[in-house]
Amino acid sequence: MTSRAGARKRDTYRHGNLRNALVQAGLELVRSGGPDAVVLREVTRRVGVVPNAAYRHFADRNALLRAIRQASLAQLAAAMETELAALPPADDPVESARARIRALATSYLRFARAEPGLFRAAFSTTDMADTENESADGPGGLTAFQLLGAALDDLVESGALPPDRRPGAEYFVWSAVHGLAVLLIDGPLRGLLPIQAHEAGQRLMESIERGI
Amino acid sequence: MTSRAGARKRDTYRHGNLRNALVQAGLELVRSGGPDAVVLREVTRRVGVVPNAAYRHFADRNALLRAIRQASLAQLAAAMETELAALPPADDPVESARARIRALATSYLRFARAEPGLFRAAFSTTDMADTENESADGPGGLTAFQLLGAALDDLVESGALPPDRRPGAEYFVWSAVHGLAVLLIDGPLRGLLPIQAHEAGQRLMESIERGI
DNA sequence: GCACCTTGTGTACGATGTCCACATTGCCGC
DNA sequence: GCGGCAATGTGGACATCGTACACAAGGTGC
Protein backbone atom coordinates (compact mmCIF):
# COMPACT_ATOMS: atom_id res chain seq x y z
CA MET A 1 0.00 0.00 0.00
CA THR A 2 1.12 3.55 -0.61
CA SER A 3 -0.15 5.27 2.53
CA ARG A 4 -3.37 5.97 4.37
CA ALA A 5 -6.67 5.75 2.53
CA GLY A 6 -7.24 8.75 0.31
CA ALA A 7 -3.74 10.12 0.71
CA ARG A 8 -1.95 9.00 -2.45
CA LYS A 9 1.73 9.64 -2.34
CA ARG A 10 2.41 12.82 -4.17
CA ASP A 11 5.18 12.84 -6.80
CA THR A 12 5.66 16.58 -6.81
CA TYR A 13 7.47 18.16 -3.91
CA ARG A 14 4.85 20.85 -3.70
CA HIS A 15 1.34 19.82 -2.92
CA GLY A 16 -0.23 22.51 -5.01
CA ASN A 17 -3.37 23.09 -3.00
CA LEU A 18 -2.45 22.26 0.54
CA ARG A 19 -4.47 24.86 2.33
CA ASN A 20 -7.67 23.76 0.73
CA ALA A 21 -6.87 20.08 1.14
CA LEU A 22 -6.29 20.61 4.84
CA VAL A 23 -9.64 22.29 5.27
CA GLN A 24 -11.37 19.48 3.37
CA ALA A 25 -9.70 16.82 5.47
CA GLY A 26 -10.57 18.80 8.55
CA LEU A 27 -14.19 18.90 7.49
CA GLU A 28 -14.21 15.13 7.22
CA LEU A 29 -12.89 14.82 10.73
CA VAL A 30 -15.26 17.38 12.12
CA ARG A 31 -18.11 15.64 10.41
CA SER A 32 -17.61 12.54 12.49
CA GLY A 33 -16.43 13.73 15.84
CA GLY A 34 -16.90 17.46 16.14
CA PRO A 35 -14.21 20.08 16.62
CA ASP A 36 -12.17 17.99 19.04
CA ALA A 37 -11.62 15.45 16.29
CA VAL A 38 -9.62 17.99 14.33
CA VAL A 39 -6.19 16.77 15.31
CA LEU A 40 -3.58 18.65 13.37
CA ARG A 41 -1.34 15.66 12.91
CA GLU A 42 -4.21 13.53 11.68
CA VAL A 43 -5.30 16.18 9.22
CA THR A 44 -1.85 16.43 7.69
CA ARG A 45 -1.54 12.65 7.74
CA ARG A 46 -4.65 12.34 5.61
CA VAL A 47 -3.36 14.84 3.15
CA GLY A 48 -0.06 13.01 2.98
CA VAL A 49 2.10 15.74 4.34
CA VAL A 50 4.25 16.24 7.38
CA PRO A 51 2.56 17.95 10.37
CA ASN A 52 4.61 21.09 10.16
CA ALA A 53 3.55 21.73 6.59
CA ALA A 54 0.26 23.00 7.97
CA TYR A 55 2.10 25.90 9.57
CA ARG A 56 2.84 27.34 6.15
CA HIS A 57 -0.88 27.96 5.74
CA PHE A 58 -2.24 28.37 9.25
CA ALA A 59 -0.72 30.09 12.23
CA ASP A 60 -1.73 27.21 14.47
CA ARG A 61 -4.39 24.59 15.01
CA ASN A 62 -6.87 27.27 15.99
CA ALA A 63 -6.49 29.07 12.70
CA LEU A 64 -7.18 25.84 10.86
CA LEU A 65 -10.19 25.27 13.06
CA ARG A 66 -11.44 28.74 12.22
CA ALA A 67 -11.24 28.01 8.52
CA ILE A 68 -13.13 24.78 9.04
CA ARG A 69 -15.73 26.64 11.04
CA GLN A 70 -16.26 29.12 8.22
CA ALA A 71 -16.69 26.26 5.80
CA SER A 72 -19.23 24.63 8.10
CA LEU A 73 -21.19 27.85 8.39
CA ALA A 74 -21.16 28.12 4.62
CA GLN A 75 -22.61 24.62 4.33
CA LEU A 76 -25.35 25.54 6.76
CA ALA A 77 -26.18 28.66 4.76
CA ALA A 78 -26.19 26.59 1.58
CA ALA A 79 -28.61 24.09 3.08
CA MET A 80 -30.92 26.91 4.05
CA GLU A 81 -30.75 28.47 0.62
CA THR A 82 -31.58 25.14 -0.96
CA GLU A 83 -34.61 24.76 1.24
CA LEU A 84 -35.76 28.23 0.29
CA ALA A 85 -35.32 27.54 -3.39
CA ALA A 86 -37.41 24.40 -3.15
CA LEU A 87 -40.37 26.37 -1.79
CA PRO A 88 -43.37 26.39 -4.14
CA PRO A 89 -44.30 29.90 -5.26
CA ALA A 90 -47.19 31.33 -3.29
CA ASP A 91 -49.58 34.14 -4.18
CA ASP A 92 -50.31 35.32 -0.68
CA PRO A 93 -47.29 37.40 0.39
CA VAL A 94 -48.06 36.88 4.06
CA GLU A 95 -48.22 33.14 3.77
CA SER A 96 -45.18 33.23 1.54
CA ALA A 97 -43.10 35.09 4.10
CA ARG A 98 -44.28 32.75 6.84
CA ALA A 99 -43.41 29.74 4.74
CA ARG A 100 -39.93 31.05 4.20
CA ILE A 101 -39.34 31.45 7.89
CA ARG A 102 -40.63 27.96 8.52
CA ALA A 103 -38.38 26.66 5.78
CA LEU A 104 -35.37 28.36 7.30
CA ALA A 105 -36.14 26.98 10.73
CA THR A 106 -36.75 23.52 9.36
CA SER A 107 -33.54 23.37 7.39
CA TYR A 108 -31.59 24.74 10.34
CA LEU A 109 -32.87 22.01 12.60
CA ARG A 110 -32.44 19.35 9.95
CA PHE A 111 -28.87 20.37 9.32
CA ALA A 112 -28.09 20.26 13.00
CA ARG A 113 -29.46 16.76 13.32
CA ALA A 114 -28.06 15.44 10.07
CA GLU A 115 -24.61 16.91 10.54
CA PRO A 116 -24.09 17.44 14.24
CA GLY A 117 -20.33 17.53 13.83
CA LEU A 118 -20.43 20.30 11.28
CA PHE A 119 -23.04 22.13 13.30
CA ARG A 120 -20.98 21.96 16.45
CA ALA A 121 -17.95 23.15 14.57
CA ALA A 122 -19.89 26.01 13.03
CA PHE A 123 -20.68 27.41 16.45
CA SER A 124 -17.69 26.34 18.45
CA THR A 125 -15.62 29.00 20.11
CA THR A 126 -12.13 28.30 18.94
CA ASP A 127 -10.96 31.49 20.52
CA MET A 128 -12.19 34.94 21.36
CA ALA A 129 -11.25 36.82 18.21
CA ASP A 130 -13.59 35.83 15.44
CA THR A 131 -14.33 37.49 12.17
CA GLU A 132 -17.91 36.33 12.06
CA ASN A 133 -18.43 36.92 8.35
CA GLU A 134 -15.19 36.11 6.64
CA SER A 135 -16.67 33.56 4.24
CA ALA A 136 -19.54 32.08 6.14
CA ASP A 137 -22.03 32.81 3.42
CA GLY A 138 -23.66 30.30 1.12
CA PRO A 139 -23.58 30.26 -2.67
CA GLY A 140 -26.09 33.13 -2.71
CA GLY A 141 -23.71 35.30 -0.73
CA LEU A 142 -25.86 35.58 2.36
CA THR A 143 -25.12 34.17 5.79
CA ALA A 144 -27.72 32.17 7.67
CA PHE A 145 -28.41 35.18 9.81
CA GLN A 146 -28.90 37.44 6.80
CA LEU A 147 -31.29 34.96 5.21
CA LEU A 148 -33.41 35.10 8.33
CA GLY A 149 -33.29 38.88 8.42
CA ALA A 150 -34.50 39.09 4.83
CA ALA A 151 -37.42 36.76 5.54
CA LEU A 152 -38.40 38.87 8.52
CA ASP A 153 -38.22 42.02 6.42
CA ASP A 154 -40.63 40.43 3.98
CA LEU A 155 -42.92 39.55 6.84
CA VAL A 156 -43.06 43.21 7.76
CA GLU A 157 -43.53 44.28 4.18
CA SER A 158 -46.40 41.85 3.75
CA GLY A 159 -48.09 43.48 6.71
CA ALA A 160 -48.07 40.39 8.89
CA LEU A 161 -45.58 41.83 11.35
CA PRO A 162 -45.96 45.33 12.77
CA PRO A 163 -42.80 47.32 12.04
CA ASP A 164 -42.35 48.17 15.69
CA ARG A 165 -41.89 44.50 16.48
CA ARG A 166 -39.31 44.00 13.77
CA PRO A 167 -36.22 45.15 15.71
CA GLY A 168 -34.68 42.26 17.54
CA ALA A 169 -37.01 39.73 15.96
CA GLU A 170 -34.14 37.72 14.48
CA TYR A 171 -32.63 37.32 17.91
CA PHE A 172 -35.79 35.69 19.14
CA VAL A 173 -36.28 33.39 16.16
CA TRP A 174 -32.67 32.46 15.94
CA SER A 175 -32.40 31.83 19.66
CA ALA A 176 -35.40 29.55 19.71
CA VAL A 177 -34.28 27.47 16.76
CA HIS A 178 -30.64 27.41 17.77
CA GLY A 179 -31.54 26.50 21.31
CA LEU A 180 -33.57 23.51 20.28
CA ALA A 181 -30.85 22.42 17.89
CA VAL A 182 -28.23 22.55 20.60
CA LEU A 183 -30.37 20.83 23.19
CA LEU A 184 -31.16 18.11 20.67
CA ILE A 185 -27.68 17.34 19.47
CA ASP A 186 -25.69 17.57 22.62
CA GLY A 187 -27.90 18.88 25.34
CA PRO A 188 -30.25 17.00 27.61
CA LEU A 189 -32.69 16.51 24.73
CA ARG A 190 -30.31 14.30 22.82
CA GLY A 191 -31.76 10.87 23.01
CA LEU A 192 -35.16 12.04 21.88
CA LEU A 193 -36.47 9.80 19.16
CA PRO A 194 -36.53 11.31 15.68
CA ILE A 195 -40.30 11.56 15.82
CA GLN A 196 -40.22 13.30 19.16
CA ALA A 197 -37.55 15.64 17.93
CA HIS A 198 -39.63 16.44 14.90
CA GLU A 199 -42.68 17.13 17.04
CA ALA A 200 -40.66 19.38 19.31
CA GLY A 201 -39.57 21.23 16.20
CA GLN A 202 -43.13 21.65 14.97
CA ARG A 203 -44.29 22.81 18.36
CA LEU A 204 -41.42 25.25 18.49
CA MET A 205 -42.21 26.74 15.12
CA GLU A 206 -45.83 27.27 16.13
CA SER A 207 -44.73 29.15 19.20
CA ILE A 208 -42.23 31.14 17.22
CA GLU A 209 -44.89 32.27 14.77
CA ARG A 210 -47.16 33.24 17.60
CA GLY A 211 -44.49 34.97 19.60
CA ILE A 212 -42.59 36.80 16.92
CA MET B 1 6.99 28.01 49.61
CA THR B 2 5.28 24.69 50.17
CA SER B 3 3.76 24.08 46.75
CA ARG B 4 1.27 25.68 44.36
CA ALA B 5 -1.21 28.19 45.72
CA GLY B 6 -4.00 26.54 47.64
CA ALA B 7 -2.38 23.13 47.65
CA ARG B 8 -0.80 22.88 51.06
CA LYS B 9 1.38 19.87 51.42
CA ARG B 10 -0.58 17.22 53.15
CA ASP B 11 0.99 15.42 56.10
CA THR B 12 -1.25 12.40 55.97
CA TYR B 13 -0.66 9.86 53.25
CA ARG B 14 -4.35 9.74 52.53
CA HIS B 15 -5.99 12.89 51.32
CA GLY B 16 -9.27 12.16 53.02
CA ASN B 17 -11.59 13.79 50.54
CA LEU B 18 -9.85 13.54 47.23
CA ARG B 19 -12.84 12.97 45.02
CA ASN B 20 -14.54 16.09 46.22
CA ALA B 21 -11.37 18.14 46.15
CA LEU B 22 -10.80 17.14 42.53
CA VAL B 23 -14.27 18.24 41.55
CA GLN B 24 -13.78 21.56 43.35
CA ALA B 25 -10.47 22.19 41.66
CA GLY B 26 -12.04 21.21 38.37
CA LEU B 27 -14.81 23.70 38.93
CA GLU B 28 -12.23 26.44 39.42
CA LEU B 29 -10.60 25.55 36.13
CA VAL B 30 -13.86 25.29 34.28
CA ARG B 31 -14.90 28.61 35.67
CA SER B 32 -12.10 30.37 33.87
CA GLY B 33 -11.64 28.51 30.65
CA GLY B 34 -14.51 26.13 30.08
CA PRO B 35 -14.38 22.36 29.84
CA ASP B 36 -11.15 22.31 27.84
CA ALA B 37 -9.38 23.89 30.77
CA VAL B 38 -10.01 20.81 32.84
CA VAL B 39 -6.61 19.24 32.42
CA LEU B 40 -6.34 16.18 34.60
CA ARG B 41 -2.75 16.79 35.53
CA GLU B 42 -3.46 20.38 36.46
CA VAL B 43 -6.42 19.39 38.58
CA THR B 44 -4.37 16.90 40.57
CA ARG B 45 -1.52 19.39 40.78
CA ARG B 46 -3.80 21.89 42.46
CA VAL B 47 -4.98 19.35 44.94
CA GLY B 48 -1.40 18.39 45.66
CA VAL B 49 -1.60 14.85 44.50
CA VAL B 50 0.01 12.81 41.76
CA PRO B 51 -1.97 12.60 38.47
CA ASN B 52 -2.70 8.93 38.80
CA ALA B 53 -4.42 9.41 42.12
CA ALA B 54 -7.42 10.69 40.22
CA TYR B 55 -7.90 7.24 38.73
CA ARG B 56 -8.86 5.88 42.14
CA HIS B 57 -11.98 8.04 41.99
CA PHE B 58 -12.73 8.50 38.31
CA ALA B 59 -12.43 6.06 35.47
CA ASP B 60 -10.83 8.69 33.28
CA ARG B 61 -10.82 12.39 32.53
CA ASN B 62 -14.28 12.14 31.06
CA ALA B 63 -15.72 10.77 34.24
CA LEU B 64 -14.22 13.66 36.17
CA LEU B 65 -15.65 16.04 33.63
CA ARG B 66 -19.06 14.47 34.08
CA ALA B 67 -18.92 15.05 37.80
CA ILE B 68 -17.92 18.65 37.21
CA ARG B 69 -20.78 19.02 34.78
CA GLN B 70 -23.25 17.76 37.36
CA ALA B 71 -21.91 20.25 39.86
CA SER B 72 -22.25 23.06 37.33
CA LEU B 73 -25.83 22.08 36.60
CA ALA B 74 -26.50 22.07 40.30
CA GLN B 75 -25.14 25.60 40.61
CA LEU B 76 -27.38 26.70 37.78
CA ALA B 77 -30.40 25.15 39.46
CA ALA B 78 -29.41 26.82 42.73
CA ALA B 79 -29.18 30.22 41.05
CA MET B 80 -32.64 29.73 39.63
CA GLU B 81 -34.06 28.68 42.96
CA THR B 82 -32.56 31.73 44.59
CA GLU B 83 -34.15 33.99 42.03
CA LEU B 84 -37.51 32.34 42.62
CA ALA B 85 -37.20 32.72 46.35
CA ALA B 86 -36.49 36.42 45.99
CA LEU B 87 -39.74 36.98 44.16
CA PRO B 88 -42.21 39.16 46.06
CA PRO B 89 -45.44 37.34 46.85
CA ALA B 90 -48.23 38.19 44.43
CA ASP B 91 -51.98 37.86 44.83
CA ASP B 92 -52.84 37.33 41.19
CA PRO B 93 -51.99 33.68 40.43
CA VAL B 94 -51.67 34.39 36.72
CA GLU B 95 -49.23 37.21 37.19
CA SER B 96 -47.45 35.18 39.82
CA ALA B 97 -46.91 32.25 37.48
CA ARG B 98 -45.76 34.58 34.73
CA ALA B 99 -43.35 36.29 37.07
CA ARG B 100 -41.85 32.97 38.03
CA ILE B 101 -41.21 32.07 34.42
CA ARG B 102 -39.64 35.44 33.82
CA ALA B 103 -37.51 34.99 36.91
CA LEU B 104 -36.34 31.59 35.72
CA ALA B 105 -35.46 32.92 32.30
CA THR B 106 -33.70 35.91 33.76
CA SER B 107 -31.59 33.90 36.15
CA TYR B 108 -30.74 31.40 33.43
CA LEU B 109 -29.45 34.14 31.18
CA ARG B 110 -27.69 35.90 33.99
CA PHE B 111 -25.95 32.72 35.05
CA ALA B 112 -24.80 32.05 31.51
CA ARG B 113 -23.32 35.51 31.20
CA ALA B 114 -21.85 35.68 34.68
CA GLU B 115 -20.37 32.18 34.61
CA PRO B 116 -19.85 31.26 30.98
CA GLY B 117 -17.33 28.60 31.89
CA LEU B 118 -19.66 26.82 34.25
CA PHE B 119 -22.50 27.20 31.81
CA ARG B 120 -20.50 25.72 28.98
CA ALA B 121 -19.44 22.87 31.17
CA ALA B 122 -22.99 22.25 32.28
CA PHE B 123 -24.06 21.60 28.72
CA SER B 124 -20.92 20.18 27.21
CA THR B 125 -21.08 16.76 25.68
CA THR B 126 -18.30 14.90 27.35
CA ASP B 127 -19.44 11.70 25.77
CA MET B 128 -22.58 10.03 24.58
CA ALA B 129 -23.67 8.21 27.72
CA ASP B 130 -25.01 10.68 30.21
CA THR B 131 -27.13 10.20 33.26
CA GLU B 132 -28.84 13.54 32.99
CA ASN B 133 -30.16 13.63 36.53
CA GLU B 134 -27.53 12.06 38.71
CA SER B 135 -27.15 15.05 41.00
CA ALA B 136 -27.89 17.99 38.81
CA ASP B 137 -30.52 19.38 41.12
CA GLY B 138 -30.26 22.43 43.31
CA PRO B 139 -30.69 22.61 47.07
CA GLY B 140 -34.44 22.27 46.62
CA GLY B 141 -34.01 18.96 44.87
CA LEU B 142 -35.29 20.08 41.49
CA THR B 143 -33.32 20.40 38.29
CA ALA B 144 -33.52 23.53 36.19
CA PHE B 145 -35.80 21.72 33.82
CA GLN B 146 -38.10 20.62 36.59
CA LEU B 147 -38.30 24.12 37.98
CA LEU B 148 -39.47 25.33 34.59
CA GLY B 149 -41.99 22.52 34.33
CA ALA B 150 -43.47 23.41 37.70
CA ALA B 151 -43.84 27.05 36.73
CA LEU B 152 -45.60 26.05 33.53
CA ASP B 153 -47.93 23.77 35.46
CA ASP B 154 -48.87 26.71 37.62
CA LEU B 155 -49.48 28.76 34.54
CA VAL B 156 -52.01 26.17 33.40
CA GLU B 157 -53.57 25.94 36.83
CA SER B 158 -53.99 29.69 36.97
CA GLY B 159 -55.88 29.50 33.73
CA ALA B 160 -53.45 31.62 31.75
CA LEU B 161 -52.33 28.71 29.58
CA PRO B 162 -54.84 26.36 27.95
CA PRO B 163 -54.08 22.79 28.99
CA ASP B 164 -53.85 21.66 25.37
CA ARG B 165 -50.87 23.94 24.87
CA ARG B 166 -49.08 22.68 27.93
CA PRO B 167 -47.41 19.63 26.36
CA GLY B 168 -44.06 20.53 24.92
CA ALA B 169 -44.18 24.04 26.31
CA GLU B 170 -40.98 23.60 28.27
CA TYR B 171 -39.15 22.67 25.12
CA PHE B 172 -40.08 25.95 23.57
CA VAL B 173 -39.26 28.10 26.55
CA TRP B 174 -36.07 26.28 27.31
CA SER B 175 -34.94 26.35 23.70
CA ALA B 176 -35.49 30.06 23.37
CA VAL B 177 -33.65 30.94 26.55
CA HIS B 178 -30.90 28.42 26.06
CA GLY B 179 -30.41 29.48 22.48
CA LEU B 180 -29.93 33.11 23.39
CA ALA B 181 -27.59 32.15 26.18
CA VAL B 182 -25.43 30.09 23.86
CA LEU B 183 -25.41 32.67 21.11
CA LEU B 184 -24.45 35.31 23.63
CA ILE B 185 -21.61 33.53 25.32
CA ASP B 186 -19.91 31.80 22.46
CA GLY B 187 -22.01 32.23 19.41
CA PRO B 188 -22.08 35.09 16.95
CA LEU B 189 -23.84 37.30 19.50
CA ARG B 190 -20.90 37.34 21.82
CA GLY B 191 -19.52 40.80 21.63
CA LEU B 192 -22.89 42.38 22.23
CA LEU B 193 -22.65 45.04 24.87
CA PRO B 194 -24.21 44.19 28.22
CA ILE B 195 -27.03 46.60 27.55
CA GLN B 196 -27.72 45.13 24.16
CA ALA B 197 -27.63 41.65 25.62
CA HIS B 198 -30.06 42.69 28.28
CA GLU B 199 -32.40 44.18 25.71
CA ALA B 200 -32.24 41.05 23.63
CA GLY B 201 -33.17 39.12 26.75
CA GLN B 202 -36.15 41.37 27.46
CA ARG B 203 -37.32 41.16 23.88
CA LEU B 204 -36.95 37.39 24.02
CA MET B 205 -39.01 37.05 27.16
CA GLU B 206 -41.80 39.13 25.63
CA SER B 207 -41.91 36.84 22.65
CA ILE B 208 -41.79 33.78 24.83
CA GLU B 209 -44.77 34.95 26.84
CA ARG B 210 -46.68 35.66 23.68
CA GLY B 211 -45.68 32.46 21.95
CA ILE B 212 -45.96 29.97 24.75
C1' DG C 1 21.47 31.22 -15.21
C1' DC C 2 21.24 32.39 -10.65
C1' DA C 3 19.67 34.20 -6.28
C1' DC C 4 15.61 34.23 -3.53
C1' DC C 5 11.17 33.40 -1.56
C1' DT C 6 7.83 29.98 -0.83
C1' DT C 7 6.62 25.55 0.62
C1' DG C 8 7.50 21.03 2.51
C1' DT C 9 10.79 17.99 5.70
C1' DG C 10 13.35 16.34 9.99
C1' DT C 11 14.27 16.52 14.50
C1' DA C 12 13.24 17.83 18.99
C1' DC C 13 10.80 19.40 23.26
C1' DG C 14 7.41 19.87 26.76
C1' DA C 15 2.74 18.58 27.99
C1' DT C 16 -0.99 15.45 28.28
C1' DG C 17 -3.94 11.06 29.26
C1' DT C 18 -3.38 6.65 30.81
C1' DC C 19 -1.15 1.98 31.98
C1' DC C 20 1.35 -0.98 35.30
C1' DA C 21 3.88 -2.13 39.29
C1' DC C 22 4.76 -0.68 43.92
C1' DA C 23 4.16 1.81 48.58
C1' DT C 24 1.40 3.22 52.47
C1' DT C 25 -2.15 2.86 55.57
C1' DG C 26 -6.85 2.42 57.75
C1' DC C 27 -9.82 -1.15 59.14
C1' DC C 28 -11.39 -6.04 59.93
C1' DG C 29 -11.69 -10.25 62.34
C1' DC C 30 -9.09 -12.71 65.54
C1' DG D 1 -3.62 -5.76 70.60
C1' DC D 2 -2.42 -7.61 65.91
C1' DG D 3 -1.85 -9.28 61.28
C1' DG D 4 -3.56 -9.18 56.79
C1' DC D 5 -6.28 -7.10 53.17
C1' DA D 6 -8.61 -3.79 50.41
C1' DA D 7 -8.43 1.01 49.51
C1' DT D 8 -5.78 4.81 48.29
C1' DG D 9 -1.66 7.33 46.78
C1' DT D 10 3.17 7.17 44.24
C1' DG D 11 6.67 6.48 40.50
C1' DG D 12 7.99 5.58 36.12
C1' DA D 13 6.90 4.77 31.36
C1' DC D 14 4.66 5.30 26.82
C1' DA D 15 2.22 7.01 22.81
C1' DT D 16 0.37 11.15 21.08
C1' DC D 17 -0.17 15.91 20.56
C1' DG D 18 0.95 20.95 19.28
C1' DT D 19 4.62 23.52 17.93
C1' DA D 20 9.54 25.62 17.46
C1' DC D 21 13.87 25.66 14.74
C1' DA D 22 16.96 24.54 11.20
C1' DC D 23 17.25 22.62 6.66
C1' DA D 24 15.90 20.98 1.74
C1' DA D 25 13.55 21.46 -2.67
C1' DG D 26 12.03 23.94 -6.25
C1' DG D 27 9.39 27.58 -8.75
C1' DT D 28 10.06 32.67 -10.13
C1' DG D 29 11.92 37.12 -11.34
C1' DC D 30 15.91 39.43 -12.79
Side-chain angles (χ1 to χ4, degrees):
Chain A
M1 72 200 75
T2 55
S3 53
R4 272 326 272 157
R8 37 199 97 279
K9 190 167 292 169
R10 149 180 50 99
D11 47 350
T12 59
Y13 183 79
R14 308 299 235 266
H15 180 283
N17 195 9
L18 223 201
R19 184 188 155 101
N20 206 266
L22 290 173
V23 173
Q24 291 308 319
L27 279 172
E28 271 181 40
L29 287 173
V30 110
R31 213 156 167 275
S32 59
D36 289 345
V38 178
V39 175
L40 194 145
R41 292 178 105 108
E42 173 64 17
V43 175
T44 57
R45 216 171 283 142
R46 295 195 171 206
V47 175
V49 101
V50 101
N52 279 344
Y55 288 86
R56 297 298 173 189
H57 301 270
F58 300 96
D60 54 12
R61 173 178 179 274
N62 248 325
L64 169 58
L65 216 39
R66 253 197 312 273
I68 296 173
R69 183 165 49 123
Q70 297 297 333
S72 302
L73 279 170
Q75 288 200 30
L76 170 59
M80 293 171 74
E81 283 185 22
T82 301
E83 189 89 4
L84 278 189
L87 232 42
D91 312 319
D92 183 2
V94 170
E95 194 41 47
S96 168
R98 287 224 172 94
R100 286 174 63 194
I101 291 184
R102 273 195 303 270
L104 289 174
T106 301
S107 56
Y108 196 96
L109 288 171
R110 176 158 48 226
F111 184 87
R113 286 179 59 78
E115 295 288 359
L118 292 179
F119 187 86
R120 266 197 286 269
F123 292 99
S124 69
T125 319
T126 72
D127 68 317
M128 224 43 190
D130 82 317
T131 51
E132 178 166 327
N133 51 9
E134 201 169 313
S135 64
D137 49 355
L142 293 180
T143 66
F145 188 61
Q146 292 168 332
L147 288 170
L148 173 59
L152 286 170
D153 286 344
D154 288 359
L155 202 59
V156 171
E157 202 171 339
S158 75
L161 180 65
D164 63 306
R165 278 231 298 281
R166 174 64 183 82
E170 47 259 88
Y171 290 168
F172 164 60
V173 179
W174 195 7
S175 293
V177 176
H178 187 76
L180 183 57
V182 169
L183 292 176
L184 281 176
I185 68 174
D186 52 36
L189 264 44
R190 147 198 50 200
L192 246 55
L193 301 173
I195 311 99
Q196 300 176 299
H198 182 255
E199 281 172 8
Q202 293 304 116
R203 173 70 164 78
L204 185 85
M205 298 200 316
E206 275 178 42
S207 288
I208 289 178
E209 280 199 44
R210 183 181 301 118
I212 222 171
Chain B
M1 71 201 79
T2 55
S3 51
R4 273 325 271 154
R8 36 198 97 281
K9 190 167 292 169
R10 147 182 53 98
D11 46 350
T12 58
Y13 183 79
R14 309 295 233 262
H15 179 283
N17 195 8
L18 223 201
R19 184 189 155 101
N20 205 267
L22 290 174
V23 173
Q24 292 308 319
L27 278 173
E28 272 181 40
L29 287 174
V30 109
R31 212 154 168 276
S32 60
D36 289 346
V38 178
V39 174
L40 194 144
R41 291 178 106 108
E42 173 65 17
V43 174
T44 58
R45 216 171 284 141
R46 294 195 172 206
V47 175
V49 100
V50 100
N52 279 343
Y55 287 86
R56 298 297 175 192
H57 301 271
F58 300 97
D60 54 13
R61 174 178 179 273
N62 246 328
L64 170 58
L65 215 40
R66 254 199 309 274
I68 296 173
R69 183 166 50 121
Q70 297 296 333
S72 302
L73 279 170
Q75 288 200 28
L76 170 58
M80 293 172 73
E81 282 184 24
T82 302
E83 189 89 4
L84 278 189
L87 232 42
D91 312 317
D92 182 2
V94 171
E95 194 42 47
S96 168
R98 287 225 172 93
R100 286 174 63 194
I101 292 184
R102 273 196 304 271
L104 290 174
T106 300
S107 57
Y108 196 96
L109 288 171
R110 176 158 48 227
F111 184 87
R113 286 179 59 78
E115 295 288 0
L118 292 179
F119 186 86
R120 266 198 286 270
F123 292 99
S124 67
T125 318
T126 72
D127 67 319
M128 225 43 189
D130 83 315
T131 51
E132 177 167 327
N133 51 8
E134 201 170 311
S135 64
D137 50 356
L142 293 180
T143 65
F145 188 61
Q146 293 167 331
L147 287 170
L148 173 58
L152 286 170
D153 286 343
D154 287 1
L155 202 60
V156 170
E157 203 171 338
S158 75
L161 180 65
D164 65 308
R165 279 231 297 281
R166 174 64 183 79
E170 47 260 87
Y171 291 168
F172 165 61
V173 179
W174 195 7
S175 293
V177 177
H178 187 75
L180 183 58
V182 168
L183 291 176
L184 280 176
I185 68 174
D186 52 35
L189 263 46
R190 144 199 53 198
L192 246 55
L193 300 173
I195 311 99
Q196 300 176 299
H198 182 255
E199 280 170 9
Q202 293 303 115
R203 172 71 164 80
L204 186 86
M205 297 200 314
E206 275 178 42
S207 288
I208 289 178
E209 279 200 45
R210 183 181 300 118
I212 223 170

